[in-house]
Amino acid sequence: MEEVKVSSSMTRYVTLLFAVACGMSVANIYFAQPILDNLSSEFGIEHSTIGILITITQIFYAVGLLMLVPLGDLLNQRRLIIGQMLLAMIALVIVGTASSSTVLFAGMALVGLLSVVAQTFVAFAATMASPAERGRVVGRITSGIVIGILLARSISGILTDFAGWRSVYLVSAALMFLMVCALFRVLPNVERKGTLLSYPQLLRSVLMLLVKERILRIRAVLALLIFAAFSILWTPLVLPLSAPPLSLSHTAIGAFGLVGVVGALAAARAGKLADRGYGQRTTGIALILLLISWLLISRTEQSLLALVIGIVLLDLAIQVVHVTNQSMIFSLGTEARSRLAAGYMVFYSIGSASGSIASTHIYAHYGWNGVCLLGASVSALALLFWAMTNRAVIKI
């Protein structure tokens, strides 16, 4: 299979367009989080189990990572990206017009499955960029993904307050169509030359890469832990903020996503540090900040300022580790970047799904303090795992 050498196409404008497209695609998974209480009321789903909706979306996201993202190493990536985005647009319309919980769950499953197009973008960009700028490009595009996740809450809250929750998904479908039109003009049309791999062999090779590449395994486990912590915060956050004594509106709750953007933007240059060989040290510092953030987040019901600072630290730490992870694994191979992304992101999805379902159950039984203890425990485990594997990575 050929190595695509089109670094000249990875201009600042194209990088920005990739980042926005990725952010839009991944945001579709997280629109539901600040409106879980609306969905619970309309479709008759109890608060203690409404988190299953997010979990199902994440499970199908994981399925998409395994079944669709590796196709980027086999097929024309331009057609793959545009096709998936058009299908995602249809899935959003299904959710926005759902008349029953069954249709809602099915539509969200499709949304999760097709949102993996963001990872096809990241792998494509890593191939298009020159080695000297790969970390920077991946960092910017990954920042777009994290910002999309965080802004999803703000956009969802505002649109729900003004036009109802269905407008969130219908507006997103319209924006996805406009993005497809823009990408149709910009994406390079690079045909894959003959490959000896069949589709089943392609899928098996994802597992083989996990077996073969130690850095990929280590960074994948870190992804599982940090995104479990991410979901432990963001999935149930709407519940204490919307309940007495705080009783905030959906718009106010969604605005906390804007706070997280500050942390994500601050971490945009983490890829450069990884390119310079500081990936391990940067990861350790970020994981310490992640653990500290839970001390502040635990004060949510007493101080919203403490929550704001905690959110900034948490999102900064997670984004730094995530960008560093991807910069390190994309240096492992040129013809397998889509499969490397798939293997890595499956662990991300498992962590997100686990964090979502665990946090809503913990909140139902132990309240916000229980959620914060869970988040701090997972963060401490991530820091311990980094410390235990630090020497192993340095020796590679």
Side-chain angles (χ1 to χ4, degrees):
M1 192 181 300
E2 67 172 347
E3 164 74 354
V4 184
K5 296 181 179 179
V6 285
S7 59
S8 60
S9 297
M10 212 59 205
T11 62
R12 188 178 295 270
Y13 167 72
V14 173
T15 302
L16 177 61
L17 191 64
F18 272 39
V20 173
C22 287
M24 288 174 57
S25 298
V26 177
N28 294 326
I29 303 176
Y30 295 91
F31 282 141
Q33 287 189 354
I35 58 173
L36 286 177
D37 53 342
N38 294 72
L39 298 174
S40 175
S41 299
E42 179 156 346
F43 294 98
I45 306 170
E46 294 183 1
H47 274 185
S48 61
T49 58
I50 189 62
I52 293 175
L53 181 67
I54 305 298
T55 302
I56 287 175
T57 309
Q58 291 288 354
I59 288 172
F60 275 84
Y61 187 79
V63 172
L65 289 170
L66 283 173
M67 304 299 292
L68 299 180
V69 173
L71 288 172
D73 291 334
L74 185 64
L75 303 178
N76 180 297
Q77 287 173 302
R78 181 175 185 268
R79 295 174 193 160
L80 186 62
I81 287 170
I82 291 176
Q84 287 184 34
M85 292 190 75
L86 287 173
L87 291 174
M89 182 183 69
I90 296 172
L92 290 166
V93 173
I94 291 173
V95 173
T97 58
S99 57
S100 68
S101 59
T102 301
V103 176
L104 175 70
F105 276 59
M108 288 300 294
L110 287 174
V111 167
L113 182 73
L114 294 164
S115 293
V116 298
V117 68
Q119 300 311 315
T120 304
F121 270 114
V122 175
F124 196 15
T127 299
M128 291 170 65
S130 65
E133 67 174 0
R134 184 171 297 129
R136 177 181 59 81
V137 169
V138 169
R140 287 180 176 176
I141 294 173
T142 305
S143 292
I145 293 175
V146 175
I147 290 169
I149 294 171
L150 297 171
L151 288 182
R153 295 166 174 83
S154 301
I155 294 169
S156 182
I158 292 170
L159 286 177
T160 298
D161 280 345
F162 283 95
W165 71 266
R166 294 179 186 275
S167 67
V168 176
Y169 294 94
L170 297 177
V171 168
S172 181
L175 293 176
M176 290 286 281
F177 178 74
L178 294 176
M179 179 56 68
V180 167
C181 294
L183 291 169
F184 191 81
R185 298 170 59 89
V186 170
L187 287 177
N189 190 30
V190 182
E191 293 291 347
R192 292 291 186 185
K193 292 184 178 178
T195 175
L196 299 177
L197 290 178
S198 65
Y199 181 60
Q201 289 173 330
L202 189 76
L203 298 183
R204 285 196 295 271
S205 68
V206 175
L207 178 60
M208 296 308 298
L209 283 170
L210 283 166
V211 172
K212 177 184 176 182
E213 301 291 353
R214 191 173 187 182
I215 290 180
L216 177 59
R217 294 196 304 274
I218 290 172
R219 290 286 152 174
V221 172
L222 283 174
L224 186 153
L225 294 171
I226 64 171
F227 282 103
F230 186 85
S231 289
I232 287 168
L233 168 66
W234 286 108
T235 300
L237 183 60
V238 61
L239 301 175
L241 293 181
S242 61
L246 296 174
S247 302
L248 300 180
S249 68
H250 288 104
T251 300
I253 293 171
F256 282 93
L258 298 174
V259 173
V261 170
V262 176
L265 287 173
R269 294 179 179 243
K272 280 189 174 181
L273 294 174
D275 287 342
R276 295 174 183 172
Y278 298 114
Q280 282 298 105
R281 185 182 306 174
T282 304
T283 300
I285 294 171
L287 291 174
I288 292 171
L289 292 177
L290 178 61
L291 183 57
I292 292 172
S293 72
W294 287 104
L295 296 175
L296 297 164
I297 293 168
S298 67
R299 302 286 299 167
T300 294
E301 295 175 342
Q302 291 76 40
S303 171
L304 289 179
L305 178 59
L307 174 62
V308 167
I309 297 172
I311 287 174
V312 170
L313 288 179
L314 181 139
D315 287 332
L316 169 65
I318 288 175
Q319 172 69 346
V320 165
V321 177
H322 186 40
V323 170
T324 302
N325 285 350
Q326 292 192 306
S327 296
M328 293 175 73
I329 66 171
F330 283 138
S331 66
L332 296 176
T334 58
E335 296 181 353
R337 289 199 176 107
S338 290
R339 283 166 286 167
L340 287 167
Y344 169 77
M345 291 300 296
V346 163
F347 284 78
Y348 151 93
S349 193
I350 292 170
S352 294
S354 301
S356 292
I357 194 66
S359 60
T360 50
H361 275 289
I362 290 292
Y363 182 81
H365 293 93
Y366 302 103
W368 188 243
N369 286 336
V371 170
C372 292
L373 180 60
L374 176 64
S377 300
V378 172
S379 302
L381 182 60
L383 181 60
L384 177 63
F385 179 78
W386 168 83
M388 292 174 61
T389 58
N390 188 34
R391 288 187 178 181
V393 173
I394 291 175
K395 289 179 180 179
I396 296 176

